[in-house]
Every structure is written in C-alpha cells, then in structure tokens.
Amino acid sequence: MAKIIDGKRISAEVKDECKERVKREKLDITLAVIQVGNDPASTVYVGNKKKACDYIGIHSLSYELPEETSEKELLELVEKLNSNDDVHGILVQLPLPEHIDEDKVIQTISPKKDVDGFHPQSVGALSIGQPGFVSCTPAGIIQLLKRSGVEIEGKECVIVGRSNIVGKPMALLMLRENATVTVCHSRTKDLKEVTKRADILIVAIGKPKFITADYVKEGAVVIDVGIHRNENNKLCGDVDFDCVAPIASAITPVPGGVGPMTIAMLMNNCVEAKGIQEA
C-alpha cells in the first residue's frame, strides 16, 4: 500500500516556518484580499486565507464587493492597492462574475504584489529561471514531494492537464528540479501509455476519479490536484484513490493532500513579497 503524503502536516510545517520568520525578522506584512460576489466556495477559501494570515502574523485587508461591481470599479481598487506602500500582496479571488475580464484584472495587479503568481511577468520569470512569485498550487506540490523524501531529479514526470494555474507552471517547476517532463491534455493520444511511463504522475484534469490503476505504473508517486463531490456528497479527486493506492509507492489523499498546500504557499509568497518589493 502506498505511503500517504500528508498535506495537512506539511502545510502546517510551512506555515510554522513563515510564522517564525515573521516573528524573528519583525516583518510587517499586509495582504489585501478582494472577493466580488458571494460564491460559497470562494467565501470558504477567503475565510481560510484570513485564518492563515492571523496565525502567521500577517495583516489582512478584506474587500467584499457586491456581484454587480463593475470591471472599472474593481480595476480602480486594484490600482489604489498597487500604489499603497503599506500593502505587500494583492489577491483577487477567482472566479470573477462573467461581466469582468479576469485576464485584465490579473494583468493590472503589480507583479511585485502578485502573491498568486498569475501575472504574465511572474509566469515569464518562472519560464526563464528568474526570481518572482510562483503559482501557489504547483509550488506546494514541489514542497510535498521534497518534504516526503521523493527524489525528483532525473525522474520521468507526467502532468495531466495544461491549465495556466497548475499544469503549465507545474511543468516549468519540475524542469527546474531536473525532471524529464511530459504534459498531457484532452488531445493526447494513448493517454494510458504516456501516464504509465511516469515515476511521478501529477493529475489536474478536473474529472472525478478519472485516473484508475491502469493509468499508473507500479511504484509511481501520484499527486492528485482535483477536488470534487461524488454522488454521496463526499470529496474525491481526479484519481480513483482506492484502486490506485495499492500500486503507487506514495499518493496524496483528497481532501488533505494538495489543498492545504495552496494556502501555505500563498502565506510563503506573502512573506517573500517584502523582499521582492525592496529588491
């Protein structure tokens, strides 16, 4: 049976390290969180981010805007926060209402305050190996692997999914760690043949329990980024945990795997923000 990679424990380690650094260096850090509308999942995420800030010693400013807020009003708020030297990180909770262009909002956030790591400048810096913010979920997966003793260098890594938030930055980070990387997607032919080559299989495809045992090489490390509710309203991932766990060497559960790492790495980015702005 596979070793369970414990995201709750590892995320707590990362948050404790951030808390210690804030205390030791007497860092005064402020994160501004903007939520437009009251999407229930977004409200939960925003609440968890505020709790994490409180724990670590980061000030959080909360902007809860009505659903009908115009794009112009939102962009003006972002610009105001960009020019406020007391604010070190800006996070706009996605998804946004349909009448607001997400790309335009992301591009308006100053790259020096882009703690989500979504700005094109942050992504470009990652792709050419320059310092900058890294998207929180992929950065969290690297920490899960390293802190679980998984060797990345020289390994065959297959990523299923090519989103801008997970798949693409994940590929760049695994390359940076000297893995050999293949990215699969909805047009990939013979998907099972490709995924069965993986020493490390990272799945962010958005389909519940899509990856079964016949996609996985015996002894592979399996990282499941997906989160869904099944027919019994129980949380599950993109990987069929029960049938894959017996053949994997290590696997992340859902919940309690990748999810907690996203907020931990956001906190890490907030702590790093101070240095990036002063550089």
Side-chain angles (χ1 to χ4, degrees):
M1 188 73 176
K3 170 187 172 183
I4 305 299
I5 296 176
D6 187 348
K8 285 183 182 169
R9 179 185 61 78
I10 295 170
S11 70
E13 279 177 17
V14 172
K15 286 192 278 194
D16 284 343
E17 287 163 15
C18 291
K19 183 178 185 175
E20 176 55 35
R21 186 173 162 196
V22 166
K23 189 177 171 187
R24 186 179 66 248
E25 299 180 20
K26 297 184 173 62
L27 298 176
D28 188 13
I29 301 166
T30 299
L31 170 67
V33 181
I34 304 170
Q35 180 182 355
V36 184
N38 54 1
D39 174 78
S42 291
T43 301
V44 170
Y45 289 137
V46 167
N48 287 340
K49 286 164 185 172
K50 287 180 195 164
K51 276 187 213 156
C53 284
D54 287 345
Y55 178 74
I56 286 158
I58 293 171
H59 309 294
S60 64
L61 299 175
S62 185
Y63 296 87
E64 288 159 10
L65 308 178
E67 182 89 18
E68 59 274 15
T69 299
S70 70
E71 185 181 281
K72 180 171 179 283
E73 287 170 314
L74 178 56
L75 294 176
E76 282 172 356
L77 173 58
V78 171
E79 292 284 18
K80 185 175 142 195
L81 294 168
N82 280 342
S83 58
N84 183 345
D85 290 342
D86 294 329
V87 172
H88 305 95
I90 301 170
L91 187 153
V92 178
Q93 183 64 41
L94 304 178
L96 289 166
E98 283 184 9
H99 64 277
I100 297 176
D101 182 341
E102 285 187 1
D103 285 340
K104 197 182 282 187
V105 174
I106 288 166
Q107 288 172 33
T108 302
I109 296 169
S110 163
K112 290 189 171 184
K113 300 187 180 189
D114 170 40
V115 286
D116 257 335
F118 294 163
H119 192 284
Q121 188 170 313
S122 304
V123 178
L126 173 61
S127 71
I128 58 172
Q130 289 188 352
F133 292 113
V134 176
S135 186
C136 300
T137 300
I141 290 168
I142 294 291
Q143 290 302 313
L144 282 179
L145 292 169
K146 287 185 169 180
R147 292 173 189 243
S148 301
V150 175
E151 181 75 31
I152 302 174
E153 186 165 333
K155 294 295 172 67
E156 182 109 15
C157 171
V158 175
I159 297 162
V160 186
R162 55 176 167 180
S163 72
N164 290 339
I165 290 173
V166 180
K168 288 175 187 170
M170 193 74 248
L172 291 168
L173 283 176
M174 293 302 278
L175 282 171
R176 191 161 86 179
E177 298 295 334
N178 300 314
T180 299
V181 179
T182 303
V183 179
C184 301
H185 44 78
S186 57
R187 302 287 190 274
T188 299
K189 291 191 170 80
D190 302 321
L191 180 63
K192 285 180 187 174
E193 299 306 310
V194 182
T195 57
K196 282 193 94 145
R197 296 203 307 259
D199 302 310
I200 301 171
L201 179 62
I202 300 171
V203 187
I205 199 170
K207 293 183 180 178
K209 296 189 178 183
F210 182 87
I211 297 294
T212 52
D214 49 351
Y215 286 84
V216 181
K217 177 170 83 173
E218 188 147 352
V221 174
V222 180
I223 304 290
D224 187 353
V225 184
I227 187 155
H228 315 273
R229 288 202 177 270
N230 67 12
E231 59 281 1
N232 302 318
N233 207 33
K234 277 193 162 180
L235 289 172
C236 66
D238 290 350
V239 175
D240 188 335
F241 183 90
D242 291 339
C243 78
V244 170
I247 63 165
S249 63
I251 189 167
T252 57
V254 176
V258 173
M261 294 303 297
T262 301
I263 289 178
M265 298 315 292
L266 171 66
M267 296 299 105
N268 185 69
N269 279 353
C270 290
V271 175
E272 295 292 331
K274 195 94 170 173
I276 285 172
Q277 278 154 54
E278 288 166 3

